[in-house]
Amino acid sequence: MRSSRNKASRLCAGLAGLALAFACAFAAQAQAPAGAQAPRSAAAAPQLGELAPDFLGLDRAGRPVKVSDYRGKPVVVSFWAGWCAPCRRELPMLSTLLKSVGREHLQVIAVNLNEPKRDYEDFLRLNPSLDLNFVHDAGSAARYYGVRSVPNLFVVDRDGRLVQIHRGYTPEKIEQFVRELAPLLPPQALRKPGG
């Protein structure tokens, strides 16, 4: 009996993995808006020091969002999904960071990876305190960035170059991320109010 359950579990896990791979492959074929950069394969993911891929997806009003829209200040690009527990821990941290530093010094763009639009909207409706620029991506931006899992965080400097990549979420990774981000910010962004 136990052997049958184990076989059934392995079969279900294998089918789920195959379905996920198929969904990712299908999403990767989605067309980006006119003017978006040429597709990159995961093997051609951007490297540190390179210009960050520009197109990130569409905002809630359906407008394209690009990294170049924020040239002159650091940009944090975080790929996430509502079903991802580590993402649900990372997004509030990013929201707090953005509130404390200020949008005049930093931009944080939270790119929802390939979830149904309804799930994306439901997540945002249930989390109104998250003060980030939210973008929905059908898979194009993730392909340009070589994203295979979430959370996946990228930091872009004021000149549009990729300077940090963090995959996964742990408190230690967040501490490292904050330490690496601080030198990119102007001194006035690091001062505490009233301090």
Side-chain angles (χ1 to χ4, degrees), residues 14 19 23 30 44 58-59 61 65 73 80 94 96 104 116 121-122 126 130 139 147 159 168 175 180:
L58 303 176
D59 68 13
V65 176
K73 64 174 108 174
W80 65 279
L94 292 174
T96 300
E104 67 275 15
E121 291 294 340
D122 286 347
L126 293 171
L130 294 177
V147 173
D159 299 321
E175 290 173 18
E180 292 171 352

Side-chain angles (χ1 to χ4, degrees), residues 53-110:
D54 202 23
F55 178 72
L56 295 174
L58 303 176
D59 68 13
R60 294 184 79 184
R63 295 178 301 247
V65 176
K66 298 183 277 180
V67 172
S68 60
D69 293 339
Y70 304 102
R71 203 59 46 87
K73 64 174 108 174
V75 177
V76 174
V77 179
S78 176
F79 287 87
W80 65 279
W83 52 261
C84 166
C87 300
R88 293 193 310 267
R89 288 190 295 275
E90 183 178 83
L91 290 173
M93 183 280 307
L94 292 174
S95 181
T96 300
L97 174 68
L98 183 59
K99 286 176 187 173
S100 65
V101 170
R103 289 180 185 270
E104 67 275 15
H105 304 298
L106 176 69
Q107 191 55 247
V108 179
I109 302 168

